[in-house]
Amino acid sequence: MEANHFYRLMCRIRFFEELVLEKFPSGVFVGTTHTYLGQEANAVGVVAHLRAEDIIFSNHRGHGHFLAFGGDPRALFAELMGKRSGVCGGRGGSQHLHWRNFYSNGVQGGIVPIATGMAFAEKIKRSGGIAVAFLGDGTLGEGVIYEAFNMASKWNIPVLYVVENNRIAQTTPIELTLAGTIAGRFQAFGIAGEELETCDVLDVYQAAGRWVAQVRETQSPAALILHTYRFGPHSKGDDTRPAEEVARLWEVFDPLKVFSRRLSAQERAAIEAEERERIQQAFEAALRDEYPLPSELGRLGENVLVPTSSSLMSGDILTLGPSFNEGRKQASGAAGGGKGIGENGVTVVHSLNRALRRALAENERVYLIGQDLLDPYGGAFKVTQGCSTEFPNRVIPTPISEAGLVGIAAGMAMRGLLPVAEIMFGDFLTLIADQVINHIAKFRWTYGEAVKVPLVIRTPVGGGRGYGPTHSQSLEKLYLGVPGIHVVAVTHFGSPQDLLLHALWQDEDPVILIEHKSLYPLPLFEASDPDFEREVDWTALGYPVYTLRLRGAPPPILSLIAYGYAAELARKAMLQLAYREEIFCELVVPTQLNPCESKKLLESVRRTGRAIVIEEGTLTLGWGAEVLARLAEQALPSLLRVARIATADCPIPASPPLEKAVLPSVEAIVQKAIDIL
Ligand SMILES: Cc1ncc(C[n+]2csc(CCOP(=O)(O)OP(=O)(O)O)c2C)c(N)n1
């Protein structure tokens, strides 16, 4: 390949990523992004050796790999915007790409065994194809990759593992997480390879050539370890490194600068001008492209509930007219379960943060453990902000090892500590399933009550932000019905602080605390709310159940039952139904999902005769299905009609109109209420 073409591709990646960061704040892109600034030489040098039959499996930082593979910048921009012309029609967003033999996914580690399996298949088929898996240094914390290395070596699988060691994972420097050496990890499995400390694409090209050829010839795995630098933030605006350090990287290690010395001034200017123009054109074309329609959700979108009544679309929140506000009582509902200490005017995220600080201050047994918890970053959603500054020895930053960190936290809990583990996205609850189901939830019972595991696992869940299929889910149902663990959902109708502290101080059983991302910025419900009055009751395990009614409204004829953020949708629907349709509901908001306790729900349905259960997990076999089964078993004969609203049984797309179609909405609740009445 003509060497100047390397410069062209590196410029394409560079200008693409710069424009992404520049335009992100304007709101044209959805979800998130991880730019490849500074690492351009790696993708270009490696991908240049691949043939049509070869496979690339990339990760969250995949734009550079995609563009080096020949991917279309317009399709990539469009994917980041959630447009129909995107690489995956807007379903995946930045981290979930597939075109020809290029694949990427945003869950660390999991791609490594998959790429290995693909290479195995190519070997079995004798296609001559090999696979290349790109992974970051932080991903070396995921245990599952070692299982893949072992099998790849044992079974002689033709896969090249390319580790891009940019020396930092999100905000955590490699020194805090890597024991031994990167090369040693491969040596342990008998995998040959080479390490390279360079930002010159020609060096990468030569080394990659040797190892791609070796993998092809020997039909065995190899490793290429590229020591490199990330020039941009991890995602956008979240760089915790000192500005001078980043400026020095640009100065000394810029692969474009290094290569451009080989070009004449004219050659360089011409390539740069062409690529800049190409990227600008691609961006503008993508901007003009259309969003997909809900009808384009495809095979898995067939059961999506599309609201039919246009009169009910996208109404703003309305406050009730005076007739419904007559007879308004002074706030009497907050019999405990209201707001925690000093919570006037705070948001859900602040309330949770206060809980953690109080817990650390009040009890030396409390430890926080998880990824990127240290200040100044303070956790991906800032729930732990300030904790490591105040309690430096009791906030433990971990590698990207969900199963490992939860296992360690469980061990700490069994030996007398009170750990709070954070799983950065609820989607990664899948990675801890074995730890939770086969270990943590079972120990106490199995060991004849001789041990307890007082571990709290906190995790943000939910969609609505365009994060796409693997960062938007509400997967708590995976743990519902598992004996031995409490699953508890934060609500802004009570005190998240008190809820978290109750989960911690009960000091008996493991708890998974579900925190919907869209709740974080919401202010806590005030007992003096002008429209709603609130009643609080408690489960046997001491978790609150809230019932909300419209002040001064006629008796309710419909129960809305919802937890987490779905309860906020239900609250808005309640206002619309009352104001526009004169349909009066009461809203029951449990916080304890597992073990499932239905007393308050039954009481409500016995009063109203009708129920809609709303949740953000997928519909089939969800929490709502269990609740309705219990109502059917126990509330008859007073039960007249029931219905469920949930996320459709479809992956959650990144594209805004598609995501909106899949997730539960205020309009869907209103429409369903009208339908069943
Ligand atoms: C299983 C899992 N845990 C956590 C995350 C959140 N996350 C996304 S990227 C990232 C850092 C990855 O670091 P590294 O592997 O070094 O790659 P880099 O970002 O430096 O390219 C983290 C923690 C994730 N996507 N998947």
Side-chain angles (χ1 to χ4, degrees):
M1 187 181 299
E2 186 207 351
N4 285 6
H5 191 64
F6 291 159
Y7 191 64
R8 178 177 295 285
L9 286 176
M10 289 198 294
C11 285
R12 189 172 303 170
I13 298 168
R14 171 70 51 92
F15 301 155
F16 182 94
E17 298 291 47
E18 284 178 343
L19 203 60
V20 167
L21 284 185
E22 183 195 320
K23 299 291 183 189
F24 227 105
S26 72
V28 290
F29 299 123
V30 299
T32 190
T33 191
H34 308 89
T35 63
Y36 201 61
L37 298 169
Q39 299 181 206
E40 295 88 347
N42 306 335
V44 172
V46 172
V47 175
H49 293 286
L50 302 183
R51 301 177 184 160
E53 62 272 26
D54 295 333
I55 293 159
I56 297 184
F57 222 124
S58 168
N59 54 13
H60 61 295
R61 205 174 293 289
H63 304 169
H65 307 137
F66 178 78
L67 294 172
F69 183 68
D72 176 9
R74 172 181 177 168
L76 187 54
F77 275 131
E79 188 62 37
L80 268 70
M81 294 175 188
K83 300 287 183 81
R84 178 186 289 137
S85 56
V87 181
C88 296
R91 291 188 186 177
S94 166
Q95 307 187 75
H96 313 92
L97 306 173
H98 168 49
W99 177 66
R100 296 190 176 162
N101 272 353
F102 184 97
Y103 305 80
S104 74
N105 199 3
V107 184
Q108 303 309 317
I111 67 157
V112 176
I114 295 168
T116 306
M118 287 176 152
F120 196 32
E122 296 310 308
K123 181 168 179 167
I124 292 167
K125 293 185 301 184
R126 298 180 198 279
S127 74
I130 67 166
V132 173
F134 285 97
L135 58 151
D137 48 286
T139 303
L140 296 168
E142 290 292 359
V144 73
I145 71 173
Y146 302 103
E147 298 173 22
F149 294 170
N150 191 41
M151 287 177 269
S153 180
K154 205 74 204 155
W155 303 340
N156 295 322
I157 294 178
V159 51
L160 180 66
Y161 301 114
V162 179
V163 178
E164 294 185 82
N165 171 26
N166 61 19
R167 306 156 217 251
I168 186 164
Q170 197 144 342
T171 65
T172 307
I174 187 167
E175 296 77 36
L176 290 186
T177 57
L178 187 93
T181 60
I182 301 178
R185 311 248 168 150
F186 290 99
Q187 282 155 8
F189 295 99
I191 295 177
E194 180 176 344
E195 292 191 66
L196 218 59
E197 177 82 57
T198 185
C199 52
D200 187 339
V201 66
L202 294 186
D203 293 342
V204 177
Y205 179 70
Q206 275 157 16
R210 284 193 288 279
W211 291 101
V212 166
Q214 158 103 0
V215 169
R216 262 192 229 293
E217 274 156 33
T218 62
Q219 288 287 295
S220 306
L224 182 62
I225 302 164
L226 302 173
H227 300 292
T228 183
Y229 292 96
R230 187 191 88 199
F231 290 180
H234 165 67
S235 161
K236 33 187 170 64
D238 57 358
D239 207 336
T240 48
R241 299 169 296 183
E244 317 80 70
E245 184 185 321
V246 177
R248 200 182 86 82
L249 301 181
W250 282 95
E251 192 51 41
V252 185
F253 300 105
D254 183 352
L256 271 71
K257 240 185 227 166
V258 168
F259 191 91
S260 67
R261 295 189 192 116
R262 300 189 176 98
L263 301 172
S264 70
Q266 290 97 317
E267 277 176 318
R268 182 181 160 180
I271 293 175
E272 288 179 9
E274 276 173 37
E275 288 306 317
R276 232 179 246 296
E277 182 58 19
R278 180 197 301 272
I279 292 301
Q280 189 61 36
Q281 296 286 339
F283 175 73
E284 283 164 20
L287 264 187
R288 288 191 300 271
D289 289 342
E290 307 247 311
Y291 287 106
L293 300 170
S295 55
E296 293 167 63
L297 274 163
R299 199 174 42 84
L300 296 179
E302 279 160 10
N303 57 354
V304 170
L305 178 81
V306 182
T308 46
S309 165
S310 55
S311 66
L312 293 167
M313 295 297 280
S314 65
D316 288 331
I317 311 171
L318 299 157
T319 28
L320 283 178
S323 60
F324 301 131
N325 284 327
E326 280 167 22
R328 176 183 292 183
K329 286 176 249 138
Q330 263 313 305
S332 59
K339 284 188 295 179
I341 293 178
E343 295 208 285
N344 281 332
V346 309
T347 57
V348 168
V349 72
H350 284 131
S351 180
L352 290 167
N353 178 266
R354 278 173 196 208
L356 294 176
R357 287 168 180 230
R358 264 183 66 194
L360 285 160
E362 287 175 15
N363 193 326
E364 289 189 340
R365 293 164 57 214
V366 174
Y367 280 76
L368 310 189
I369 176 166
Q371 294 160 26
D372 298 286
L373 303 186
L374 296 187
D375 290 333
Y377 191 63
F381 292 91
K382 311 299 164 208
V383 180
T384 55
Q385 191 114 56
C387 295
S388 69
T389 305
E390 268 182 78
F391 305 95
N393 299 325
R394 288 198 282 136
V395 180
I396 306 173
T398 69
I400 311 171
S401 311
E402 285 74 13
L405 79 89
V406 164
I408 287 171
M412 292 165 75
M414 290 167 84
R415 300 296 301 179
L417 299 178
L418 278 177
V420 181
E422 177 174 300
I423 297 298
M424 192 186 277
F425 282 87
D427 309 73
F428 312 149
L429 287 175
T430 52
L431 295 161
I432 64 169
D434 182 59
Q435 284 296 322
V436 171
I437 298 171
N438 288 328
H439 303 77
I440 294 166
K442 296 230 178 2
F443 285 145
R444 188 171 183 185
W445 180 84
T446 307
Y447 299 150
E449 309 289 326
V451 301
K452 51 184 190 165
V453 194
L455 162 66
V456 175
I457 301 169
R458 304 181 22 253
T459 193
V461 304
R465 294 181 171 211
Y467 273 66
T470 67
H471 288 65
S472 309
Q473 299 166 94
S474 296
L475 292 179
E476 51 273 18
K477 75 170 165 185
L478 298 180
Y479 295 98
L480 303 183
V482 173
I485 185 144
H486 309 176
V487 180
V488 177
V490 164
T491 173
H492 63 317
F493 291 120
S495 163
Q497 179 181 182
D498 286 354
L499 194 69
L500 200 166
L501 289 175
H502 178 71
L504 197 54
W505 298 153
Q506 50 94 22
D507 200 356
E508 294 282 337
D509 287 313
V511 180
I512 296 179
L513 188 70
I514 299 300
E515 305 170 357
H516 197 290
K517 297 172 201 121
S518 298
L519 285 178
Y520 284 144
L522 295 190
L524 304 190
F525 179 86
E526 301 271 349
S528 59
D529 187 273
D531 294 317
F532 293 92
E533 56 190 16
R534 177 187 57 190
E535 197 181 278
V536 189
D537 197 48
W538 310 92
T539 65
L541 289 169
Y543 296 102
V545 185
Y546 301 97
T547 303
L548 280 97
R549 295 190 192 90
L550 285 162
R551 291 184 191 276
I557 53 164
L558 171 65
S559 302
L560 301 180
I561 300 172
Y563 67 87
Y565 186 64
E568 171 62 7
L569 299 180
R571 185 191 69 83
K572 290 181 178 171
M574 236 170 122
L575 286 172
Q576 289 195 16
L577 284 166
Y579 189 62
R580 297 186 185 175
E581 312 291 335
E582 302 211 358
I583 295 172
F584 299 98
C585 312
E586 67 180 26
L587 170 59
V588 188
V589 185
T591 54
Q592 178 187 315
L593 310 182
N594 195 59
C596 184
E597 217 181 86
S598 40
K599 182 173 132 254
K600 289 307 283 184
L601 318 183
L602 280 168
E603 281 173 18
S604 175
V605 173
R606 286 199 181 108
R607 276 191 295 273
T608 63
R610 302 171 185 86
I612 301 179
V613 186
I614 308 124
E615 67 185 309
E616 208 183 295
T618 48
L619 184 82
T620 300
L621 296 170
W623 175 75
E626 176 63 26
V627 168
L628 291 192
R630 283 170 186 241
L631 295 182
E633 282 167 353
Q634 298 169 50
L636 291 170
S638 49
L639 191 60
L640 301 172
R641 285 294 303 271
V642 292
R644 280 176 298 164
I645 289 180
T647 290
D649 294 328
C650 174
I652 300 175
S655 178
L658 298 187
E659 184 183 39
K660 196 160 174 272
V662 166
L663 295 175
S665 65
V666 175
E667 295 82 34
I669 301 170
V670 169
Q671 186 62 52
K672 186 70 94 183
I674 294 168
D675 290 350
I676 75 166
L677 284 157

